[in-house]
Amino acid sequence: MYAVVFGKNPRLSEAEFYSFIKRFGLKVRVLETNGDWLLFDSDARIERYFHWLGGALKLVKVLGEGEEALRGVEYSRLFTVSLYGKDDWRLWRRFGSEIKRELKKEGPSKFFKPARVYAMPAELILKGFPGVKDFDFFLREDGTFLIGETVGVTDPFELKKLDVERPRQRPILSIPPRLARTMVNLTEVKKGNFLDPFCGIGTIVQEFVLQGLGAYGSDSDEAAIKNAKENIRWLRKEFRLKNSARLEVCDARRLKRCFRTRFDAIVSEPYLGRPLKRNPGRGEAIKLANELDRFYYPVFESISNVLKRNGRVVFVFPAFKLGSGSVYRKDRGWLRRLGFEITGKYLDFEPRHRLVRDIHVLRYRG
Ligand SMILES: C[S@@+](CC[C@H](N)C(=O)[O-])C[C@H]1O[C@@H](n2cnc3c(N)ncnc32)[C@H](O)[C@@H]1O
């Protein structure tokens, strides 16, 4: 039995997890969900694939239920404890002491206490994971709990490197590498040709290349394509990859002129309008969304010319955080009329940008 612990957008991460299992054909039986984590049975292949999840933090192998399971913990000189389901540092210390008592039967052992009650992957890696162990406690509402040991973390250092170490950067406009990975999983397409028609400096295309997919990107801005090419050259060298990407200067409303390929999937964050200086009112948001839709409509017509039948699109539409605090989210009935069926919609909010991403997962019916 395993548990997966989700990051800061659990709803999106859970959707990604379900798509991911389909994408890689993993045999998984979900046993329990609580929002922040998910408990499931799976064959051990999950341990090999886990790091390709964008929105998950940890993979935990469950040792058992209640205090009894403490007897089964394996020795480690240095260990920490993570608590999920309740923010209770007293309990956290108590569990830590109990584990220490168990481990000491076999040799000296130290409980390291990270800055926060929750041991984050970055701290764990710095301490020497997997040599250093992390024991996880999942507390249920009814007072029962499960104990497990962390067997995998998504490497925050690799993800950060993909972002800040590449030669060309554009902090405000670029999508976080974690989100790019999540969006690729949401396609449910394991192999084939993937296109980002608003690729900018190439964050999503980088992910296509890393995953060994047929990687294509385009952007109407010549300078962006030049920079994307430089980033891909860096990525191939840094990660010793043999495959590459085809990058073209192209208006997303004219994709057929630029590509002869028929794509299996399109993953993209398009132009989302000018940066907002303050949160708009409802009327203003409706106006902004309508204006942008006048641009997105011909983009989707153009996408339908290069996408295979039953091909997938994972696309960021803008939603707007209003002055009142609520979110304005437009319904786009025209997508269905163009042959695109919406199979999922997920919000992702980035406070820094005042921008709410309304991530749509679509299937092209043709
Ligand atoms: C939000 S950015 C995409 C950023 C990208 N995801 C990244 O991480 O670098 C939007 C991009 O759309 C491009 N763009 C705007 N209008 C376009 C059009 N009609 N066709 C193609 N690209 C366009 C801009 O040049 C910009 O690079």
Side-chain angles (χ1 to χ4, degrees):
M1 198 198 289
Y2 291 93
V4 60
V5 177
F6 298 131
K8 68 178 169 65
N9 189 342
R11 212 182 92 70
L12 174 64
S13 305
E14 190 172 340
E16 180 198 11
F17 183 75
Y18 287 117
S19 299
F20 171 80
I21 339 180
K22 283 196 201 144
R23 186 171 176 227
F24 292 105
L26 299 173
K27 287 202 181 61
V28 163
R29 193 163 62 95
V30 174
L31 304 169
E32 201 176 308
T33 62
N34 123 309
D36 291 327
W37 77 75
L38 188 141
L39 200 69
F40 60 97
D41 270 333
S42 161
D43 57 87
R45 277 191 312 151
I46 186 76
E47 294 187 29
R48 203 153 29 93
Y49 284 97
F50 172 74
H51 71 280
W52 287 116
L53 275 168
L57 297 178
K58 281 186 191 173
L59 180 68
V60 176
K61 193 159 191 172
V62 175
L63 302 169
E65 191 161 340
E67 308 264 343
E68 268 305 297
L70 276 173
R71 316 285 163 257
V73 297
E74 224 176 80
Y75 177 71
S76 169
R77 268 180 91 83
L78 193 60
F79 75 93
T80 192
V81 166
S82 308
L83 212 61
Y84 299 101
K86 209 184 206 178
D87 215 348
D88 183 341
W89 68 270
R90 276 173 202 278
L91 197 58
W92 175 69
R93 279 219 324 223
R94 206 194 89 207
F95 283 144
S97 309
E98 283 177 25
I99 289 201
K100 190 163 165 175
R101 202 172 318 126
E102 279 303 311
L103 299 181
K104 279 214 154 157
K105 290 178 188 164
E106 290 185 49
S109 187
K110 195 167 177 299
F111 173 22
F112 93 84
K113 302 177 181 70
R116 277 188 279 174
V117 173
Y118 306 100
M120 300 310 273
E123 282 176 276
L124 269 180
I125 291 173
L126 289 173
K127 281 283 180 186
F129 176 83
V132 168
K133 286 191 188 288
D134 175 38
F135 297 105
D136 306 87
F137 288 76
F138 298 96
L139 308 170
R140 298 192 183 105
E141 296 257 316
D142 65 2
T144 62
F145 62 89
L146 293 164
I147 305 179
E149 185 188 324
T150 302
V151 290
V153 291
T154 49
D155 187 344
F157 299 107
E158 184 196 296
L159 288 154
K160 193 151 186 195
K161 175 172 172 165
L162 287 172
D163 197 6
V164 302
E165 281 186 28
R166 54 189 169 166
R168 295 291 164 185
Q169 292 170 33
R170 211 166 53 158
I172 304 277
L173 284 172
S174 298
I175 191 161
R178 252 189 202 285
L179 186 57
R181 192 160 287 179
T182 295
M183 287 171 65
V184 171
N185 280 322
L186 286 172
T187 63
E188 294 177 11
V189 178
K190 188 175 175 193
K191 278 193 200 138
N193 291 326
F194 282 61
L195 167 70
D196 177 359
F198 294 92
C199 73
I201 59 167
T203 317
I204 296 174
V205 181
Q206 276 180 214
E207 190 57 34
F208 299 160
V209 175
L210 270 175
Q211 295 201 21
L213 304 165
Y216 296 78
S218 57
D219 197 290
S220 58
D221 178 4
E222 216 168 300
I225 289 296
K226 196 165 157 269
N227 291 339
K229 283 184 175 165
E230 209 175 322
N231 282 341
I232 296 293
R233 267 198 297 278
W234 167 84
L235 181 84
R236 295 182 65 211
K237 195 163 147 240
E238 206 61 29
F239 290 79
R240 299 189 185 165
L241 304 169
K242 290 211 172 65
N243 56 322
S244 188
R246 211 183 112 190
L247 294 156
E248 300 283 342
V249 177
C250 183
D251 189 312
R253 292 164 293 189
R254 314 258 184 285
L255 292 170
K256 210 176 159 185
R257 287 194 196 166
C258 312
F259 297 101
R260 283 173 174 269
T261 318
R262 284 257 162 182
F263 296 99
D264 297 274
I266 292 196
V267 180
S268 199
E269 172 164 271
Y271 170 68
L272 294 166
R274 266 180 248 125
L276 298 169
K277 293 215 172 61
R278 54 178 178 80
N279 295 332
R282 193 178 164 79
E284 218 177 322
I286 292 175
K287 204 169 144 228
L288 284 168
N290 286 343
E291 268 169 27
L292 284 165
D293 266 23
R294 277 196 280 282
F295 171 63
Y296 298 142
Y297 187 92
V299 169
F300 272 82
E301 280 183 316
S302 154
I303 286 177
S304 69
N305 290 328
V306 294
L307 191 60
K308 284 185 189 164
R309 194 146 176 254
N310 280 321
R312 306 301 176 95
V313 183
V314 177
F315 199 84
V316 177
F317 283 103
F320 298 90
K321 187 150 188 140
L322 306 179
S324 61
S326 60
V327 173
Y328 171 68
R329 207 175 178 190
K330 189 176 183 342
D331 258 329
R332 297 181 174 83
W334 54 264
L335 283 167
R336 180 172 284 277
R337 290 196 289 283
L338 287 179
F340 294 90
E341 176 200 350
I342 301 175
T343 59
K345 280 211 254 185
Y346 311 95
L347 289 180
D348 189 52
F349 178 51
E350 218 170 307
R352 192 162 67 104
H353 298 159
R354 278 215 179 83
L355 173 90
V356 185
R357 297 186 167 101
D358 197 356
I359 303 172
H360 283 47
V361 183
L362 309 155
R363 182 204 301 264
Y364 182 52
R365 288 281 180 207

PDB file of all heavy atoms in Angstrom, residues 222-236:
ATOM      1  N   GLU A 222      10.020  36.272 -32.831  1.00  0.00           N
ATOM      2  CA  GLU A 222      11.282  35.698 -33.303  1.00  0.00           C
ATOM      3  C   GLU A 222      12.313  35.571 -32.181  1.00  0.00           C
ATOM      4  O   GLU A 222      13.012  34.571 -32.071  1.00  0.00           O
ATOM      5  CB  GLU A 222      11.837  36.612 -34.400  1.00  0.00           C
ATOM      6  CG  GLU A 222      12.533  35.869 -35.504  1.00  0.00           C
ATOM      7  CD  GLU A 222      12.782  36.793 -36.692  1.00  0.00           C
ATOM      8  OE1 GLU A 222      11.804  37.324 -37.266  1.00  0.00           O
ATOM      9  OE2 GLU A 222      13.964  36.990 -36.996  1.00  0.00           O
ATOM     10  N   ALA A 223      12.370  36.614 -31.339  1.00  0.00           N
ATOM     11  CA  ALA A 223      13.359  36.618 -30.241  1.00  0.00           C
ATOM     12  C   ALA A 223      13.059  35.479 -29.267  1.00  0.00           C
ATOM     13  O   ALA A 223      13.978  34.825 -28.757  1.00  0.00           O
ATOM     14  CB  ALA A 223      13.322  37.951 -29.513  1.00  0.00           C
ATOM     15  N   ALA A 224      11.769  35.224 -29.014  1.00  0.00           N
ATOM     16  CA  ALA A 224      11.403  34.147 -28.084  1.00  0.00           C
ATOM     17  C   ALA A 224      11.895  32.804 -28.637  1.00  0.00           C
ATOM     18  O   ALA A 224      12.444  31.981 -27.889  1.00  0.00           O
ATOM     19  CB  ALA A 224       9.889  34.112 -27.885  1.00  0.00           C
ATOM     20  N   ILE A 225      11.739  32.589 -29.932  1.00  0.00           N
ATOM     21  CA  ILE A 225      12.166  31.318 -30.529  1.00  0.00           C
ATOM     22  C   ILE A 225      13.685  31.167 -30.463  1.00  0.00           C
ATOM     23  O   ILE A 225      14.199  30.085 -30.163  1.00  0.00           O
ATOM     24  CB  ILE A 225      11.647  31.202 -31.991  1.00  0.00           C
ATOM     25  CG1 ILE A 225      10.126  30.997 -31.982  1.00  0.00           C
ATOM     26  CG2 ILE A 225      12.343  30.087 -32.769  1.00  0.00           C
ATOM     27  CD1 ILE A 225       9.661  29.690 -31.319  1.00  0.00           C
ATOM     28  N   LYS A 226      14.379  32.267 -30.676  1.00  0.00           N
ATOM     29  CA  LYS A 226      15.841  32.224 -30.586  1.00  0.00           C
ATOM     30  C   LYS A 226      16.244  31.803 -29.156  1.00  0.00           C
ATOM     31  O   LYS A 226      17.106  30.953 -28.959  1.00  0.00           O
ATOM     32  CB  LYS A 226      16.391  33.615 -30.922  1.00  0.00           C
ATOM     33  CG  LYS A 226      17.835  33.643 -31.241  1.00  0.00           C
ATOM     34  CD  LYS A 226      18.223  34.965 -31.905  1.00  0.00           C
ATOM     35  CE  LYS A 226      19.695  35.214 -31.705  1.00  0.00           C
ATOM     36  NZ  LYS A 226      20.014  35.995 -30.495  1.00  0.00           N
ATOM     37  N   ASN A 227      15.575  32.406 -28.182  1.00  0.00           N
ATOM     38  CA  ASN A 227      15.879  32.085 -26.780  1.00  0.00           C
ATOM     39  C   ASN A 227      15.488  30.653 -26.420  1.00  0.00           C
ATOM     40  O   ASN A 227      16.195  29.967 -25.686  1.00  0.00           O
ATOM     41  CB  ASN A 227      15.162  33.063 -25.844  1.00  0.00           C
ATOM     42  CG  ASN A 227      15.747  34.459 -25.948  1.00  0.00           C
ATOM     43  OD1 ASN A 227      16.878  34.617 -26.384  1.00  0.00           O
ATOM     44  ND2 ASN A 227      14.967  35.459 -25.559  1.00  0.00           N
ATOM     45  N   ALA A 228      14.348  30.213 -26.956  1.00  0.00           N
ATOM     46  CA  ALA A 228      13.908  28.835 -26.686  1.00  0.00           C
ATOM     47  C   ALA A 228      14.948  27.855 -27.235  1.00  0.00           C
ATOM     48  O   ALA A 228      15.278  26.862 -26.582  1.00  0.00           O
ATOM     49  CB  ALA A 228      12.539  28.589 -27.321  1.00  0.00           C
ATOM     50  N   LYS A 229      15.499  28.169 -28.418  1.00  0.00           N
ATOM     51  CA  LYS A 229      16.502  27.282 -29.016  1.00  0.00           C
ATOM     52  C   LYS A 229      17.736  27.197 -28.119  1.00  0.00           C
ATOM     53  O   LYS A 229      18.293  26.128 -27.907  1.00  0.00           O
ATOM     54  CB  LYS A 229      16.906  27.787 -30.408  1.00  0.00           C
ATOM     55  CG  LYS A 229      15.843  27.465 -31.455  1.00  0.00           C
ATOM     56  CD  LYS A 229      16.283  27.868 -32.839  1.00  0.00           C
ATOM     57  CE  LYS A 229      15.228  27.394 -33.848  1.00  0.00           C
ATOM     58  NZ  LYS A 229      15.367  28.033 -35.152  1.00  0.00           N
ATOM     59  N   GLU A 230      18.110  28.355 -27.584  1.00  0.00           N
ATOM     60  CA  GLU A 230      19.269  28.382 -26.702  1.00  0.00           C
ATOM     61  C   GLU A 230      18.993  27.550 -25.438  1.00  0.00           C
ATOM     62  O   GLU A 230      19.853  26.788 -24.987  1.00  0.00           O
ATOM     63  CB  GLU A 230      19.549  29.841 -26.328  1.00  0.00           C
ATOM     64  CG  GLU A 230      21.009  30.082 -26.042  1.00  0.00           C
ATOM     65  CD  GLU A 230      21.281  31.557 -25.783  1.00  0.00           C
ATOM     66  OE1 GLU A 230      20.661  32.411 -26.476  1.00  0.00           O
ATOM     67  OE2 GLU A 230      22.079  31.845 -24.885  1.00  0.00           O
ATOM     68  N   ASN A 231      17.795  27.682 -24.890  1.00  0.00           N
ATOM     69  CA  ASN A 231      17.444  26.908 -23.696  1.00  0.00           C
ATOM     70  C   ASN A 231      17.444  25.409 -23.978  1.00  0.00           C
ATOM     71  O   ASN A 231      17.869  24.610 -23.139  1.00  0.00           O
ATOM     72  CB  ASN A 231      16.073  27.341 -23.154  1.00  0.00           C
ATOM     73  CG  ASN A 231      16.158  28.644 -22.378  1.00  0.00           C
ATOM     74  OD1 ASN A 231      17.238  29.040 -21.940  1.00  0.00           O
ATOM     75  ND2 ASN A 231      15.019  29.316 -22.210  1.00  0.00           N
ATOM     76  N   ILE A 232      16.964  25.024 -25.136  1.00  0.00           N
ATOM     77  CA  ILE A 232      16.919  23.589 -25.461  1.00  0.00           C
ATOM     78  C   ILE A 232      18.344  23.051 -25.652  1.00  0.00           C
ATOM     79  O   ILE A 232      18.657  21.945 -25.213  1.00  0.00           O
ATOM     80  CB  ILE A 232      16.040  23.311 -26.718  1.00  0.00           C
ATOM     81  CG1 ILE A 232      14.571  23.699 -26.450  1.00  0.00           C
ATOM     82  CG2 ILE A 232      16.146  21.850 -27.167  1.00  0.00           C
ATOM     83  CD1 ILE A 232      13.843  22.853 -25.418  1.00  0.00           C
ATOM     84  N   ARG A 233      19.219  23.860 -26.256  1.00  0.00           N
ATOM     85  CA  ARG A 233      20.623  23.436 -26.405  1.00  0.00           C
ATOM     86  C   ARG A 233      21.244  23.188 -25.022  1.00  0.00           C
ATOM     87  O   ARG A 233      21.902  22.188 -24.794  1.00  0.00           O
ATOM     88  CB  ARG A 233      21.433  24.525 -27.125  1.00  0.00           C
ATOM     89  CG  ARG A 233      21.500  24.321 -28.635  1.00  0.00           C
ATOM     90  CD  ARG A 233      22.637  25.123 -29.252  1.00  0.00           C
ATOM     91  NE  ARG A 233      22.470  26.559 -29.095  1.00  0.00           N
ATOM     92  CZ  ARG A 233      21.710  27.323 -29.879  1.00  0.00           C
ATOM     93  NH1 ARG A 233      21.060  26.792 -30.905  1.00  0.00           N
ATOM     94  NH2 ARG A 233      21.590  28.621 -29.671  1.00  0.00           N
ATOM     95  N   TRP A 234      20.963  24.118 -24.102  1.00  0.00           N
ATOM     96  CA  TRP A 234      21.466  23.990 -22.726  1.00  0.00           C
ATOM     97  C   TRP A 234      20.920  22.714 -22.056  1.00  0.00           C
ATOM     98  O   TRP A 234      21.653  21.941 -21.451  1.00  0.00           O
ATOM     99  CB  TRP A 234      21.057  25.231 -21.927  1.00  0.00           C
ATOM    100  CG  TRP A 234      21.241  25.090 -20.442  1.00  0.00           C
ATOM    101  CD1 TRP A 234      22.386  25.291 -19.738  1.00  0.00           C
ATOM    102  CD2 TRP A 234      20.254  24.672 -19.488  1.00  0.00           C
ATOM    103  NE1 TRP A 234      22.179  25.040 -18.407  1.00  0.00           N
ATOM    104  CE2 TRP A 234      20.874  24.646 -18.223  1.00  0.00           C
ATOM    105  CE3 TRP A 234      18.900  24.316 -19.582  1.00  0.00           C
ATOM    106  CZ2 TRP A 234      20.196  24.289 -17.057  1.00  0.00           C
ATOM    107  CZ3 TRP A 234      18.222  23.945 -18.421  1.00  0.00           C
ATOM    108  CH2 TRP A 234      18.868  23.939 -17.181  1.00  0.00           C
ATOM    109  N   LEU A 235      19.612  22.490 -22.226  1.00  0.00           N
ATOM    110  CA  LEU A 235      18.947  21.333 -21.601  1.00  0.00           C
ATOM    111  C   LEU A 235      19.572  20.014 -22.084  1.00  0.00           C
ATOM    112  O   LEU A 235      19.847  19.117 -21.296  1.00  0.00           O
ATOM    113  CB  LEU A 235      17.449  21.361 -21.956  1.00  0.00           C
ATOM    114  CG  LEU A 235      16.615  20.238 -21.362  1.00  0.00           C
ATOM    115  CD1 LEU A 235      16.184  20.598 -19.944  1.00  0.00           C
ATOM    116  CD2 LEU A 235      15.366  19.960 -22.196  1.00  0.00           C
ATOM    117  N   ARG A 236      19.800  19.935 -23.395  1.00  0.00           N
ATOM    118  CA  ARG A 236      20.342  18.695 -23.971  1.00  0.00           C
ATOM    119  C   ARG A 236      21.738  18.423 -23.426  1.00  0.00           C
ATOM    120  O   ARG A 236      22.089  17.293 -23.138  1.00  0.00           O
ATOM    121  CB  ARG A 236      20.400  18.810 -25.494  1.00  0.00           C
ATOM    122  CG  ARG A 236      19.009  18.916 -26.116  1.00  0.00           C
ATOM    123  CD  ARG A 236      19.105  18.972 -27.607  1.00  0.00           C
ATOM    124  NE  ARG A 236      19.629  17.725 -28.134  1.00  0.00           N
ATOM    125  CZ  ARG A 236      20.352  17.618 -29.230  1.00  0.00           C
ATOM    126  NH1 ARG A 236      20.641  18.693 -29.928  1.00  0.00           N
ATOM    127  NH2 ARG A 236      20.769  16.439 -29.642  1.00  0.00           N
TER     128      ARG A 236
END
